[in-house]
Amino acid sequence: MFTTKIITQKHIKARIPLERFCSTTCLRFSLMVLLFFCFSLQTKAQTPNDAIMMDKRDACVLLAYTYGTFDQYWEGGNQRENQTIATVERQTILGMAAIGITKKLDFYVGLPYVKTKSYEPNGGYFAGANGLQDVLVGLKYQLINAQSSVGTFSILPSATFSTPVSKYLSDYQPYSLGLGTTEIASRLMANYKLDKGLYTTIGAAYLWRGYTEAERDYYYNNGSFYTNTMDVPSAWNFEALIGSWLFQNKLRLELNYSAIRSLSGDDIRAYNAPQPTNKVEMDRVGAFAQYYFNPQGGFGIVASYNTVFRGRNAPKMTSLNLGITYQFGY
Amino acid sequence: MKMKRNLQYILIAVCFLMVTACEKDLSSYIAYDSYTFSGVDATGGSWKPVLISSGSEIQIDAPSDVNSSAYAEEIANVKLAIKSATESQLENVKYWTNNPINRWNEIALELIAKYNLIPGPNADGTYTLPNPSNPDGPPAFPFAHPPYAVRALAYLSVAQFDALISAWHYKYLYNRTAPYKKDSEIEFAYKDNDIPAYPSDAAVLANVSKEILSAMFPLEKAYLEQRAQEHLESILLAGGNVNSDIEAGKKIGSYVAAKALSRAATDGMKSAQTPKPVSDSIKAKAMERFGWAWENKELPARPVGLTPLFGKVKMWNVANVEDTRPIPPPGINSEELKKDIEVLKDYAANVTTERRRIANFWQDGLGTYTPAGHWNRFAKEFIIQYAMNPLRSARTYAYLNMAMMDGGISCWDAKYYYHYPRPINLIPGFKTIAGTPNFPSYTSGHSVFSSAGAEILAYVFPNEATKVRDWAKEAAISRVYGGIHWTFDATVGTQQGIDVANYTLTVARNDGAQ
């Protein structure tokens, strides 16, 4: 079985922690931001959701670009297309940094810029939107780290907070930049990694979401609401992944699955626009790769592809993500 | 180790905060309590109604004397009912208040929002229209678009007004007092007033509203029946009426509802949504007259615009719709249009926070209570603020909705007579922040509905005149900010609404109310 053991800084310094953190965390974050578009789906701030810790006094920055599109969505449970919006495109540029505060505690900060529009031709002639979305800050803590002769088991809780930084209109779906609400995500992850490189992680997070302000003071959500405040449903997020480090920890490949389940909310009504109050469900699969030129630090590249294969009040979004990472001591 | 424990505490604290973070109570109806009426309008029974000849048209028999044994039995039943009332029944009493017309108006707005969904295309690119003879659809009947909505509200409000005039007539004819005044053991749930109890005005409203709305929203019949039963039950429990008050009120309500619905059956709304050949010929006529025509740009294109013949629907207070038809819009090659194209482009390129807010605040688009609903909401808020009694409230809603429906008819006449293109029809590559509706541009429906509504509210609530007229102007320009209307659609539409409202104001000024 495992024996709990405090890993010294030297232990981790060499390779795994930094690089992996950088890739996984930043990338996963950007994936979430980009891929789960804002059709209610946003999970923008779902982050520190990997099993790897930064080293103390190490930092990593990420710049990532994501290109996502969808031409079908689920109206309630009904998968459909809609030529009013045709194919909706969502581009995101994400800047993010992760900093190792202690060897067991990491701090994150991220800010995405989002741009949306419909392909031509479309029947709606709606203007897209663009601007800064939500700033995210988070902490991740290594609660358990137990090693055996073949691998390491770890448990990592994390908490993140995100909130809009611009006055974007969340009630402008499917083009809105985000849900326009504060989100507090508390996550628990369990990871098991074989020394040979194979690893798996499962995680669950509760995403508490607050309220968003519309610019109208009446809306219908299975009944009248005489207010400009909209309740954005809180949600569960589940994740499972399997991956492996290859080529002396320079390359990592991963397959992942993630799900969102809103705890309340209404369905998109027939041939009507979505709104932030919708009950969103989504299941997504993806593949992810990262490459480090030098495992000791410096530049790395990350790439991923994701697609939503099942949903409710959600876009059938497919996204491609490319990013560069840079890690350094401070 | 200590550090570690502290971190754990922090994490636990964060989790706790998340779970207990404050939840807001979002209002699904306006919160107001029973209030003291600013007046009782004792002569209201002699006001001139809209559909019935006078308040005495329907025969309501004299009630039993308050000293009779029959009445004593009724009083005993009221006491018994109050004694055995459940918590939720008492909450209903509080909800309905002593001016329940506002609740029925809210129910109407909610049904409008529920049914204001435009039918989408079928898989083969065709569109199926809602069909009143097969209301289940799909698509469900009705599509409560702005003309449908304003018409539903007009029939509702006019019927409520006429029925309450009749109720007032008999109230002051028979002068029967309320049970709580006769028997001190009965506690009145609402603020005291001196309005006679027979017939019950609340029961009038429960029946007339239920019946009008059931005809307008046939799939909601069971729901409306349930709301009406809940309302009727609350009347007895409030201690202000005995059962015979309620029965007499129901009778008036049903009588006037039938009268209103027979007018509705033949007002021309049935043929407002035309078949394609009729729609094509309307368009061809405009092309011939003016050299332009609006086109639907949706994908797949809708073959017919929204209610091309709504302009032919029978008006309430205007004899001939063409009397209110506005001047022609600028020519398609005019300097005025060229300038306005630049204005629209500028708004689109520079969406300010304020213009966006205005465009969205007044949008009242698909899935909402429509512009007419928005003005009913304002009316409701003023009615409560100015402590109007039910009859005064009904009068306010009736003139408001008649003027707005007439405004809508006049606007639709202009829309399909001039058949003027929308900004997306004339500006290549143009994008909007509001949804472009499925009907011609000139004049703007929001502008006409809003200024017609504002004129009525300015007349009824003179202290609010400046405010409501400013709102109407803002509602009008909001459509230009949204990118879906020309400036002249808004300005001419505003004037058109004022003109049309004047016809209703003439009637209002001569109905006998002070």
Side-chain angles (χ1 to χ4, degrees), chain A residues 30 34-35 64-68 90-93 319-322:
Chain A
S30 59
L34 312 179
L35 313 197
Y65 170 79
T66 298
Y67 185 85
R90 185 176 176 85
Q91 301 180 79
T92 305
I93 296 169
S319 300
L320 189 65
N321 174 296
L322 288 170

Side-chain angles (χ1 to χ4, degrees), chain A residues 164-310:
Chain A
V165 289
S166 66
K167 287 187 174 176
Y168 70 81
L169 181 61
S170 57
D171 184 28
Y172 185 58
Q173 296 198 9
Y175 305 107
S176 52
L177 305 184
L179 285 173
T181 181
T182 294
E183 179 183 279
I184 301 170
S186 53
R187 178 178 307 277
L188 199 63
M189 283 162 288
N191 170 265
Y192 184 65
K193 179 187 169 298
L194 293 173
D195 293 340
K196 288 178 177 173
L198 201 64
Y199 63 90
T200 181
T201 302
I202 56 168
Y206 180 74
L207 313 177
W208 179 86
R209 287 165 175 169
Y211 298 90
T212 188
E213 296 294 312
E215 288 180 336
R216 51 181 169 148
D217 62 355
Y218 176 87
Y219 59 92
Y220 187 90
N221 170 5
N222 291 328
S224 289
F225 279 81
Y226 287 88
T227 171
N228 57 4
T229 301
M230 289 178 165
D231 186 3
V232 184
S234 294
W236 284 103
N237 168 220
F238 304 102
E239 246 191 325
L241 60 87
I242 183 162
S244 186
W245 287 92
L246 302 161
F247 305 117
Q248 292 85 44
N249 289 340
K250 277 189 163 181
L251 177 69
R252 184 159 70 107
L253 297 174
E254 186 180 297
L255 295 173
N256 53 56
Y257 160 82
S258 80
I260 292 282
R261 295 286 182 274
S262 290
L263 299 172
S264 61
D266 59 341
D267 281 338
I268 301 172
R269 297 195 284 157
Y271 202 59
N272 203 33
Q275 62 186 23
T277 58
N278 293 146
K279 179 186 179 77
V280 171
E281 293 178 8
M282 192 185 59
D283 293 271
R284 197 191 53 148
V285 287
F288 157 82
Q290 72 171 116
Y291 183 78
Y292 276 88
F293 298 100
N294 176 0
Q296 305 304 323
F299 285 103
I301 52 173
V302 289
S304 68
Y305 171 88
N306 292 77
T307 189
V308 176
F309 66 92
R310 197 204 74 87

Side-chain angles (χ1 to χ4, degrees), chain A residues 83 120 122 125-127 141 143 167 169 172 184 186 208 211 215 217-218 220 224-226 269 271, chain B residues 4 7-8 18 21 23-24 27-28 110 113-114 297 299 302 356 360-361 367 369 377 431-432 435:
Chain A
Q83 292 185 65
E120 306 284 349
N122 62 74
Y125 297 83
F126 282 102
Y141 180 65
L143 190 64
K167 287 187 174 176
L169 181 61
Y172 185 58
I184 301 170
S186 53
W208 179 86
Y211 298 90
E215 288 180 336
D217 62 355
Y218 176 87
Y220 187 90
S224 289
F225 279 81
Y226 287 88
R269 297 195 284 157
Y271 202 59
Chain B
K4 181 174 170 181
L7 286 168
Q8 281 172 338
M18 268 179 342
E23 297 292 331
K24 294 185 190 177
S27 62
S28 49
E110 181 164 292
K114 181 174 180 181
K297 300 263 280 175
L299 293 176
R302 284 182 196 273
R356 189 187 76 180
N360 284 312
F361 181 79
Y369 51 32
R377 179 210 185 146
K431 297 276 181 264
T432 68

Side-chain angles (χ1 to χ4, degrees), chain B residues 216-384:
Chain B
M216 297 293 170
F217 300 94
L219 296 178
E220 300 296 329
K221 228 175 152 178
Y223 167 73
L224 290 160
E225 181 61 40
Q226 176 238 315
R227 298 306 302 267
Q229 285 312 317
E230 169 202 306
H231 184 196
L232 289 167
E233 186 182 271
S234 78
I235 299 169
L236 201 72
L237 297 176
N241 294 97
V242 296
N243 195 52
S244 54
D245 298 331
I246 294 172
E247 288 305 317
K250 283 163 70 177
K251 190 175 166 192
I252 295 175
S254 294
Y255 179 89
V256 177
K259 198 123 190 175
L261 290 175
S262 82
R263 183 196 191 271
T266 56
D267 68 358
M269 189 62 178
K270 271 185 189 151
S271 6
Q273 191 61 51
T274 66
K276 190 168 189 301
V278 177
S279 162
D280 287 347
S281 85
I282 291 170
K283 184 175 173 183
K285 264 187 219 158
M287 188 55 101
E288 192 184 313
R289 269 188 211 118
F290 308 111
W292 66 64
W294 162 80
E295 258 176 57
N296 177 287
K297 300 263 280 175
E298 285 171 72
L299 293 176
R302 284 182 196 273
V304 178
L306 185 76
T307 56
L309 292 183
F310 186 61
K312 304 268 185 248
V313 167
K314 190 174 168 190
M315 298 172 90
W316 293 97
N317 298 312
V318 179
N320 182 0
V321 69
E322 288 179 29
D323 295 346
T324 61
R325 188 179 286 165
I327 54 162
I332 219 81
N333 298 311
S334 66
E335 275 308 305
E336 192 183 347
L337 179 62
K338 271 182 203 152
K339 272 188 203 158
D340 214 41
I341 286 174
E342 294 311 310
V343 169
L344 268 282
K345 282 181 176 170
D346 178 58
Y347 287 156
N350 305 291
V351 179
T352 64
T353 308
E354 182 63 359
R355 286 201 288 261
R356 189 187 76 180
R357 186 195 67 76
I358 290 169
N360 284 312
F361 181 79
W362 296 103
Q363 184 157 192
D364 298 327
L366 293 170
T368 73
Y369 51 32
T370 79
H374 207 152
W375 286 91
N376 274 263
R377 179 210 185 146
F378 292 143
K380 173 180 69 183
E381 289 165 0
F382 288 134
I383 281 167
I384 295 164

